[in-house]
Amino acid sequence: MSVDLSTPEAAPPRGVSTLRLQVRRFAANRLAMASVVVLTLIVLACFFGPYAFPFTGEDADFDFISAPAELSWPHLFGTDEYGRDLLVRVLEGGQVSLTIGFLGALAAGGIGVIYGAVAGYAGGRVDGLMMRLVEILYGFPYVILVILLSLLLGGGNMALFAAIVFTLWLTPAVIVRAQAQSLARKEFVEAARAGGMTGSRIVLQHIVPNCISVVIVYGSLLVPEVILSESFLSFLGIGIKEPQASWGNLISSGTSAMDSDLRLLLLPGTMLAIVLLCLNFIADGLRDAFDPNDR
Amino acid sequence: MSLLEARHLAVGYKVPGPGLFSAPRLLPIVHDVSLSLEAGRTLGVVGESGCGKSTLGRALLRLIRPSGGTVLWQGEDMAGIPDLRRRRAEMQIIFQDPIAALDPRMTLARIVSRPLATFEPGLSRKDARARAVEALQQVGLSADFADRYPHELSGGQAQRVGIARAIVGRPKLIICDEPVSALDVSIQAQVINLLMELQERMGLALVFISHNLAVVRHISHDVMVMCLGRVVEQAPRSSFYARPLHPYSQALMAAVPEPDPRREKGRVGTALQGELPSVLKPPPGCVFASRCPKAADLCRQTRPELREVAPGRLAACHFVEV
């Protein structure tokens, strides 16, 4: 039997990339898609909602101090003890929490991916050294590390952000490193070396793109983790400071007024819970769609 | 001057030492291999699993750094070639698992044109794509394949894409590492014939690594038999297949199944007795002594050197009968 080169073999119907297949599979997941819609609505509400009101979350309205939630204009969900509108504060707090959540996950994920891919591909002594560093950082108690870092960086939003990223990039680094290690032994990486590619190009063009499935899934779990740790730190009083609102410090002040007025806790708490649930459903859907085991 | 020449090539892998802090040991895989290959010729390398065939193939291209000996590329010591990376266009490799050899996230056009970015940096993206399509057509795949992804291919098609990637930089040598072992028998023939056709057209030299003696017989000009990292026999194809000299080669030959079922039925099985020695603790004598039907005390104590036993034929055995 010989290959007939004069009439080349016809190709299968259409070229569909793995990514497109995965997106399609994700779109078929109803719960995940509903979560995407809800999350989008919340994000839009947080970023554009406050413009619908004639005041900002920091303006005190002395005619309505501790107004109850009567769904009447202009204070739909009432005000806090300083006469600030609760709904607007929650929406503005959402801006801070969501921004920190997504940017934090992006930054921590990005650093972790590059670090892990380099360590996994390089192997040997470099890998050992890089991973020992990660293990040492893992060893520090999380809260103490964050407090130290935010003290070191002089407090403020940037310090909080840096502290969160600094502690959260470790896990993606470990996950990607394991993936990169197995990819580095694949034959297409060897073919790339035989094709004269440099190590850095192999990492960027072959290793990182092939880690994407894992990274997307883990990254979607990272967002709620960042939001939670921001809320947690703000709750402890070392995160976002009053008068600026974030879900964490709103919940914190809501807790102190819990006995007399539950709604101060309920509104930001519900928002946070909804966002976290949505993100987890989305992460779940992504994992089902992107699981490298059934490609 | 040969295209490719290896002199006393040895390869070992570093493994952790016995204790926690002891220095890493070198686990030798390939010992003292010498060979030379001319343009347009095919060297078949055969041997059982784990005998170091694939390691040898990678060391010939310096994808693994050898631990001893030299490889000469057109008379030049490969270790001393500055910027060897850019010269790799001339020496390519194709792999056993054809699907794993293709990046699942890239289109075939990108996979095939990828090496050109290194070898011919001036080439525009459009020209690189045109070259990739041309290479795909040379291996019998139409231009429609250019935008397909590896998961849409069959094993045989994927292997042809691997060949297209190897030939796109117009190489002089291709190392074929078990290129057909993962394929169906009917597809095997297609790929082998494609390789032979390309060899004829481009004057390629091939190193064909396989455990399948029948396939090696079809494609090779010379045959090299390896056992536990050492060459035990080296001969031109026709005389080797007419009568293998080393007992290990004879055992390999006897293990080839007979295509005719009537004759296969009457064949007396000659399965090898004895244990394959551990790579970690190689025997002092002949590597095949523990399984050789002819082994004597001499074989277990002194290692036979690879020597010329007949014109053009090398064998490493104390008791070669020519």
Side-chain angles (χ1 to χ4, degrees), chain B residues 130-181:
Chain B
R131 283 276 293 279
V133 169
E134 185 196 339
L136 283 172
Q137 281 165 343
Q138 276 179 318
V139 298
L141 298 173
S142 73
D144 312 341
F145 273 93
D147 296 313
R148 298 292 176 271
Y149 286 86
H151 64 90
E152 297 172 303
L153 302 181
S154 69
Q157 287 168 341
Q159 190 56 280
R160 280 190 268 161
V161 174
I163 296 173
R165 169 176 57 197
I167 62 171
V168 76
R170 299 184 179 133
K172 295 179 173 145
L173 166 75
I174 298 181
I175 306 273
C176 310
D177 182 12
E178 303 250 13
V180 297
S181 322

Short mmCIF file of all heavy atoms in Angstrom, two decimals, chain B residues 130-181:
data_model
loop_
_atom_site.label_atom_id
_atom_site.label_comp_id
_atom_site.label_asym_id
_atom_site.label_seq_id
_atom_site.Cartn_x
_atom_site.Cartn_y
_atom_site.Cartn_z
N ALA B 130 2.49 29.27 3.86
CA ALA B 130 2.55 28.62 2.54
C ALA B 130 3.51 27.43 2.57
O ALA B 130 3.22 26.36 2.02
CB ALA B 130 2.98 29.62 1.48
N ARG B 131 4.63 27.61 3.26
CA ARG B 131 5.59 26.52 3.37
C ARG B 131 5.00 25.35 4.16
O ARG B 131 5.22 24.17 3.83
CB ARG B 131 6.86 27.01 4.08
CG ARG B 131 7.77 27.84 3.19
CD ARG B 131 8.69 26.94 2.37
NE ARG B 131 9.65 26.23 3.18
CZ ARG B 131 10.79 26.74 3.63
NH1 ARG B 131 11.11 27.97 3.35
NH2 ARG B 131 11.61 26.01 4.36
N ALA B 132 4.24 25.69 5.21
CA ALA B 132 3.61 24.64 6.02
C ALA B 132 2.61 23.85 5.17
O ALA B 132 2.58 22.61 5.23
CB ALA B 132 2.93 25.25 7.23
N VAL B 133 1.81 24.57 4.39
CA VAL B 133 0.82 23.90 3.54
C VAL B 133 1.52 23.00 2.52
O VAL B 133 1.11 21.86 2.27
CB VAL B 133 -0.08 24.94 2.85
CG1 VAL B 133 -0.92 24.30 1.78
CG2 VAL B 133 -0.95 25.64 3.87
N GLU B 134 2.62 23.51 2.00
CA GLU B 134 3.40 22.74 1.02
C GLU B 134 3.92 21.45 1.67
O GLU B 134 3.82 20.36 1.09
CB GLU B 134 4.56 23.61 0.54
CG GLU B 134 5.40 23.01 -0.57
CD GLU B 134 6.73 23.74 -0.71
OE1 GLU B 134 6.81 24.91 -0.27
OE2 GLU B 134 7.66 23.16 -1.27
N ALA B 135 4.42 21.59 2.90
CA ALA B 135 4.93 20.40 3.60
C ALA B 135 3.80 19.41 3.88
O ALA B 135 3.98 18.20 3.74
CB ALA B 135 5.60 20.82 4.91
N LEU B 136 2.63 19.94 4.24
CA LEU B 136 1.48 19.05 4.49
C LEU B 136 1.13 18.30 3.21
O LEU B 136 0.80 17.11 3.23
CB LEU B 136 0.27 19.86 4.98
CG LEU B 136 0.32 20.31 6.44
CD1 LEU B 136 -0.83 21.26 6.75
CD2 LEU B 136 0.29 19.11 7.37
N GLN B 137 1.19 19.00 2.08
CA GLN B 137 0.86 18.34 0.82
C GLN B 137 1.90 17.28 0.47
O GLN B 137 1.57 16.23 -0.08
CB GLN B 137 0.73 19.38 -0.31
CG GLN B 137 -0.62 20.08 -0.22
CD GLN B 137 -0.68 21.34 -1.05
OE1 GLN B 137 0.34 21.89 -1.45
NE2 GLN B 137 -1.89 21.82 -1.31
N GLN B 138 3.16 17.55 0.83
CA GLN B 138 4.20 16.57 0.56
C GLN B 138 3.97 15.26 1.31
O GLN B 138 4.41 14.21 0.87
CB GLN B 138 5.58 17.13 0.95
CG GLN B 138 6.18 17.98 -0.14
CD GLN B 138 7.51 18.54 0.27
OE1 GLN B 138 7.69 18.98 1.41
NE2 GLN B 138 8.46 18.53 -0.64
N VAL B 139 3.31 15.35 2.46
CA VAL B 139 3.03 14.10 3.19
C VAL B 139 1.62 13.59 2.89
O VAL B 139 1.13 12.69 3.57
CB VAL B 139 3.21 14.28 4.72
CG1 VAL B 139 4.63 14.65 5.04
CG2 VAL B 139 2.26 15.32 5.27
N GLY B 140 0.98 14.18 1.88
CA GLY B 140 -0.29 13.63 1.43
C GLY B 140 -1.50 14.16 2.17
O GLY B 140 -2.54 13.51 2.20
N LEU B 141 -1.39 15.33 2.80
CA LEU B 141 -2.55 15.93 3.44
C LEU B 141 -2.91 17.21 2.68
O LEU B 141 -2.04 18.02 2.38
CB LEU B 141 -2.23 16.28 4.91
CG LEU B 141 -1.89 15.08 5.80
CD1 LEU B 141 -1.44 15.55 7.18
CD2 LEU B 141 -3.08 14.16 5.95
N SER B 142 -4.21 17.38 2.38
CA SER B 142 -4.60 18.52 1.57
C SER B 142 -4.52 19.81 2.38
O SER B 142 -4.40 19.79 3.60
CB SER B 142 -6.03 18.34 1.08
OG SER B 142 -6.92 18.54 2.15
N ALA B 143 -4.59 20.93 1.66
CA ALA B 143 -4.45 22.24 2.30
C ALA B 143 -5.56 22.49 3.31
O ALA B 143 -5.39 23.30 4.23
CB ALA B 143 -4.46 23.34 1.24
N ASP B 144 -6.69 21.78 3.17
CA ASP B 144 -7.79 21.98 4.14
C ASP B 144 -7.39 21.61 5.55
O ASP B 144 -8.04 22.00 6.51
CB ASP B 144 -9.02 21.11 3.79
CG ASP B 144 -9.39 21.21 2.33
OD1 ASP B 144 -8.96 22.20 1.72
OD2 ASP B 144 -10.09 20.31 1.84
N PHE B 145 -6.33 20.81 5.67
CA PHE B 145 -5.93 20.37 7.00
C PHE B 145 -5.28 21.50 7.80
O PHE B 145 -5.17 21.41 9.02
CB PHE B 145 -4.93 19.20 6.90
CG PHE B 145 -5.59 17.86 6.83
CD1 PHE B 145 -5.86 17.28 5.60
CD2 PHE B 145 -5.95 17.20 7.99
CE1 PHE B 145 -6.47 16.03 5.53
CE2 PHE B 145 -6.56 15.96 7.93
CZ PHE B 145 -6.83 15.38 6.70
N ALA B 146 -4.85 22.56 7.10
CA ALA B 146 -4.03 23.58 7.75
C ALA B 146 -4.68 24.15 9.00
O ALA B 146 -4.01 24.47 9.97
CB ALA B 146 -3.70 24.69 6.76
N ASP B 147 -6.02 24.30 8.99
CA ASP B 147 -6.67 24.93 10.14
C ASP B 147 -7.32 23.92 11.08
O ASP B 147 -8.16 24.28 11.89
CB ASP B 147 -7.69 25.95 9.66
CG ASP B 147 -7.01 27.07 8.91
OD1 ASP B 147 -6.00 27.58 9.42
OD2 ASP B 147 -7.45 27.41 7.79
N ARG B 148 -6.96 22.66 10.93
CA ARG B 148 -7.49 21.65 11.85
C ARG B 148 -6.65 21.59 13.11
O ARG B 148 -5.54 22.09 13.16
CB ARG B 148 -7.46 20.27 11.16
CG ARG B 148 -8.31 20.19 9.93
CD ARG B 148 -9.79 20.28 10.29
NE ARG B 148 -10.60 20.30 9.10
CZ ARG B 148 -10.93 21.41 8.46
NH1 ARG B 148 -10.49 22.58 8.90
NH2 ARG B 148 -11.67 21.37 7.38
N TYR B 149 -7.24 20.93 14.12
CA TYR B 149 -6.52 20.73 15.38
C TYR B 149 -6.16 19.26 15.54
O TYR B 149 -6.84 18.39 15.00
CB TYR B 149 -7.39 21.20 16.55
CG TYR B 149 -7.45 22.70 16.62
CD1 TYR B 149 -8.39 23.41 15.88
CD2 TYR B 149 -6.55 23.40 17.41
CE1 TYR B 149 -8.42 24.79 15.94
CE2 TYR B 149 -6.58 24.78 17.47
CZ TYR B 149 -7.53 25.47 16.74
OH TYR B 149 -7.54 26.83 16.79
N PRO B 150 -5.09 18.97 16.29
CA PRO B 150 -4.61 17.59 16.40
C PRO B 150 -5.69 16.59 16.85
O PRO B 150 -5.68 15.45 16.41
CB PRO B 150 -3.50 17.68 17.46
CG PRO B 150 -2.99 19.07 17.35
CD PRO B 150 -4.17 19.92 16.96
N HIS B 151 -6.64 17.03 17.70
CA HIS B 151 -7.62 16.05 18.19
C HIS B 151 -8.60 15.61 17.10
O HIS B 151 -9.40 14.72 17.32
CB HIS B 151 -8.36 16.59 19.41
CG HIS B 151 -9.21 17.81 19.13
ND1 HIS B 151 -10.52 17.72 18.75
CD2 HIS B 151 -8.91 19.12 19.16
CE1 HIS B 151 -11.00 18.94 18.57
NE2 HIS B 151 -10.05 19.81 18.82
N GLU B 152 -8.53 16.27 15.94
CA GLU B 152 -9.42 15.89 14.84
C GLU B 152 -8.77 14.88 13.90
O GLU B 152 -9.36 14.52 12.88
CB GLU B 152 -9.82 17.14 14.04
CG GLU B 152 -10.60 18.13 14.88
CD GLU B 152 -10.84 19.45 14.17
OE1 GLU B 152 -9.86 20.09 13.75
OE2 GLU B 152 -12.00 19.84 14.04
N LEU B 153 -7.55 14.44 14.24
CA LEU B 153 -6.81 13.58 13.31
C LEU B 153 -6.80 12.13 13.78
O LEU B 153 -6.94 11.84 14.96
CB LEU B 153 -5.36 14.04 13.23
CG LEU B 153 -5.10 15.47 12.78
CD1 LEU B 153 -3.62 15.72 12.74
CD2 LEU B 153 -5.72 15.72 11.42
N SER B 154 -6.58 11.22 12.82
CA SER B 154 -6.31 9.83 13.17
C SER B 154 -4.81 9.70 13.44
O SER B 154 -4.04 10.61 13.15
CB SER B 154 -6.71 8.92 12.01
OG SER B 154 -5.82 9.13 10.94
N GLY B 155 -4.42 8.57 14.01
CA GLY B 155 -3.02 8.38 14.34
C GLY B 155 -2.10 8.51 13.13
O GLY B 155 -1.06 9.16 13.19
N GLY B 156 -2.51 7.91 12.02
CA GLY B 156 -1.68 7.97 10.81
C GLY B 156 -1.55 9.38 10.29
O GLY B 156 -0.47 9.82 9.88
N GLN B 157 -2.67 10.11 10.31
CA GLN B 157 -2.62 11.51 9.85
C GLN B 157 -1.72 12.32 10.76
O GLN B 157 -0.91 13.13 10.29
CB GLN B 157 -4.03 12.11 9.85
CG GLN B 157 -4.91 11.57 8.74
CD GLN B 157 -6.37 11.97 8.95
OE1 GLN B 157 -6.78 12.32 10.04
NE2 GLN B 157 -7.15 11.89 7.88
N ALA B 158 -1.85 12.10 12.07
CA ALA B 158 -1.03 12.85 13.02
C ALA B 158 0.46 12.56 12.79
O ALA B 158 1.28 13.47 12.83
CB ALA B 158 -1.42 12.49 14.46
N GLN B 159 0.79 11.30 12.52
CA GLN B 159 2.19 10.98 12.28
C GLN B 159 2.69 11.68 11.02
O GLN B 159 3.82 12.14 10.96
CB GLN B 159 2.40 9.46 12.18
CG GLN B 159 3.85 9.03 12.17
CD GLN B 159 4.62 9.52 13.38
OE1 GLN B 159 5.04 10.67 13.46
NE2 GLN B 159 4.79 8.65 14.36
N ARG B 160 1.82 11.80 10.02
CA ARG B 160 2.24 12.51 8.80
C ARG B 160 2.44 13.99 9.07
O ARG B 160 3.33 14.61 8.50
CB ARG B 160 1.23 12.28 7.69
CG ARG B 160 1.47 10.90 7.06
CD ARG B 160 0.68 10.73 5.82
NE ARG B 160 -0.60 10.11 6.11
CZ ARG B 160 -1.63 10.17 5.29
NH1 ARG B 160 -1.54 10.81 4.16
NH2 ARG B 160 -2.75 9.56 5.62
N VAL B 161 1.63 14.56 9.97
CA VAL B 161 1.85 15.96 10.36
C VAL B 161 3.22 16.09 11.04
O VAL B 161 3.97 17.03 10.78
CB VAL B 161 0.74 16.47 11.29
CG1 VAL B 161 1.06 17.86 11.80
CG2 VAL B 161 -0.58 16.47 10.55
N GLY B 162 3.54 15.09 11.89
CA GLY B 162 4.85 15.09 12.54
C GLY B 162 5.97 15.07 11.50
O GLY B 162 6.98 15.77 11.64
N ILE B 163 5.78 14.28 10.45
CA ILE B 163 6.79 14.22 9.38
C ILE B 163 6.84 15.56 8.65
O ILE B 163 7.93 16.06 8.33
CB ILE B 163 6.48 13.05 8.42
CG1 ILE B 163 6.57 11.72 9.17
CG2 ILE B 163 7.42 13.07 7.23
CD1 ILE B 163 6.12 10.52 8.36
N ALA B 164 5.67 16.16 8.42
CA ALA B 164 5.65 17.46 7.73
C ALA B 164 6.43 18.49 8.53
O ALA B 164 7.19 19.29 7.98
CB ALA B 164 4.20 17.93 7.54
N ARG B 165 6.26 18.46 9.86
CA ARG B 165 7.00 19.42 10.69
C ARG B 165 8.50 19.17 10.59
O ARG B 165 9.30 20.11 10.59
CB ARG B 165 6.56 19.29 12.15
CG ARG B 165 7.47 20.06 13.10
CD ARG B 165 6.99 20.03 14.51
NE ARG B 165 6.84 18.67 15.01
CZ ARG B 165 6.15 18.34 16.08
NH1 ARG B 165 5.55 19.28 16.78
NH2 ARG B 165 6.06 17.11 16.47
N ALA B 166 8.88 17.88 10.48
CA ALA B 166 10.30 17.57 10.40
C ALA B 166 10.89 18.03 9.07
O ALA B 166 12.03 18.49 9.02
CB ALA B 166 10.52 16.08 10.60
N ILE B 167 10.12 17.93 7.98
CA ILE B 167 10.72 18.24 6.67
C ILE B 167 10.57 19.70 6.28
O ILE B 167 11.14 20.13 5.28
CB ILE B 167 10.15 17.35 5.53
CG1 ILE B 167 8.65 17.60 5.36
CG2 ILE B 167 10.46 15.90 5.77
CD1 ILE B 167 8.07 16.94 4.12
N VAL B 168 9.81 20.49 7.05
CA VAL B 168 9.54 21.85 6.61
C VAL B 168 10.82 22.69 6.57
O VAL B 168 10.95 23.60 5.75
CB VAL B 168 8.45 22.51 7.50
CG1 VAL B 168 9.00 22.93 8.85
CG2 VAL B 168 7.83 23.70 6.81
N GLY B 169 11.78 22.37 7.42
CA GLY B 169 13.04 23.13 7.41
C GLY B 169 14.07 22.52 6.48
O GLY B 169 15.23 22.89 6.53
N ARG B 170 13.65 21.59 5.62
CA ARG B 170 14.53 20.90 4.66
C ARG B 170 15.74 20.27 5.34
O ARG B 170 16.88 20.72 5.21
CB ARG B 170 14.97 21.86 3.56
CG ARG B 170 13.73 22.35 2.85
CD ARG B 170 13.98 23.24 1.68
NE ARG B 170 12.69 23.60 1.12
CZ ARG B 170 12.34 24.84 0.79
NH1 ARG B 170 13.16 25.83 0.94
NH2 ARG B 170 11.16 25.07 0.29
N PRO B 171 15.49 19.22 6.13
CA PRO B 171 16.56 18.59 6.90
C PRO B 171 17.42 17.65 6.06
O PRO B 171 17.07 17.32 4.92
CB PRO B 171 15.78 17.78 7.94
CG PRO B 171 14.53 17.40 7.23
CD PRO B 171 14.20 18.53 6.29
N LYS B 172 18.54 17.23 6.65
CA LYS B 172 19.38 16.23 6.01
C LYS B 172 19.26 14.90 6.73
O LYS B 172 19.63 13.86 6.19
CB LYS B 172 20.84 16.69 6.05
CG LYS B 172 21.06 17.94 5.23
CD LYS B 172 22.49 18.40 5.31
CE LYS B 172 22.72 19.55 4.34
NZ LYS B 172 23.66 20.52 4.86
N LEU B 173 18.80 14.96 7.99
CA LEU B 173 18.71 13.75 8.80
C LEU B 173 17.40 13.77 9.59
O LEU B 173 17.01 14.82 10.10
CB LEU B 173 19.89 13.71 9.77
CG LEU B 173 19.79 12.70 10.93
CD1 LEU B 173 20.03 11.28 10.43
CD2 LEU B 173 20.77 13.03 12.03
N ILE B 174 16.72 12.64 9.64
CA ILE B 174 15.58 12.53 10.54
C ILE B 174 15.78 11.30 11.41
O ILE B 174 16.06 10.21 10.89
CB ILE B 174 14.23 12.40 9.78
CG1 ILE B 174 13.98 13.65 8.93
CG2 ILE B 174 13.08 12.23 10.77
CD1 ILE B 174 12.66 13.60 8.17
N ILE B 175 15.69 11.50 12.72
CA ILE B 175 15.69 10.36 13.64
C ILE B 175 14.24 9.92 13.78
O ILE B 175 13.38 10.71 14.14
CB ILE B 175 16.22 10.79 15.03
CG1 ILE B 175 17.58 11.46 14.93
CG2 ILE B 175 16.21 9.60 15.99
CD1 ILE B 175 18.76 10.56 14.96
N CYS B 176 13.96 8.67 13.45
CA CYS B 176 12.59 8.18 13.56
C CYS B 176 12.53 7.27 14.78
O CYS B 176 13.06 6.16 14.76
CB CYS B 176 12.21 7.38 12.32
SG CYS B 176 12.57 8.25 10.79
N ASP B 177 11.91 7.77 15.85
CA ASP B 177 11.87 7.01 17.09
C ASP B 177 10.58 6.19 17.16
O ASP B 177 9.55 6.69 17.54
CB ASP B 177 11.98 7.98 18.28
CG ASP B 177 12.00 7.26 19.60
OD1 ASP B 177 12.18 6.03 19.59
OD2 ASP B 177 11.87 7.92 20.64
N GLU B 178 10.67 4.95 16.77
CA GLU B 178 9.50 4.05 16.75
C GLU B 178 8.31 4.71 16.06
O GLU B 178 7.21 4.75 16.63
CB GLU B 178 9.10 3.67 18.18
CG GLU B 178 10.21 3.02 18.97
CD GLU B 178 9.97 1.55 19.22
OE1 GLU B 178 9.07 0.97 18.57
OE2 GLU B 178 10.69 0.97 20.04
N PRO B 179 8.47 5.23 14.85
CA PRO B 179 7.41 6.05 14.29
C PRO B 179 6.14 5.30 13.94
O PRO B 179 5.09 5.91 13.76
CB PRO B 179 8.05 6.63 13.01
CG PRO B 179 9.09 5.64 12.65
CD PRO B 179 9.60 5.07 13.93
N VAL B 180 6.20 3.98 13.85
CA VAL B 180 5.00 3.26 13.43
C VAL B 180 4.46 2.32 14.49
O VAL B 180 3.43 1.68 14.30
CB VAL B 180 5.24 2.48 12.11
CG1 VAL B 180 5.55 3.43 10.98
CG2 VAL B 180 6.33 1.45 12.26
N SER B 181 5.13 2.24 15.64
CA SER B 181 4.71 1.24 16.64
C SER B 181 3.31 1.49 17.15
O SER B 181 2.63 0.57 17.58
CB SER B 181 5.66 1.24 17.83
OG SER B 181 6.96 1.41 17.40
#
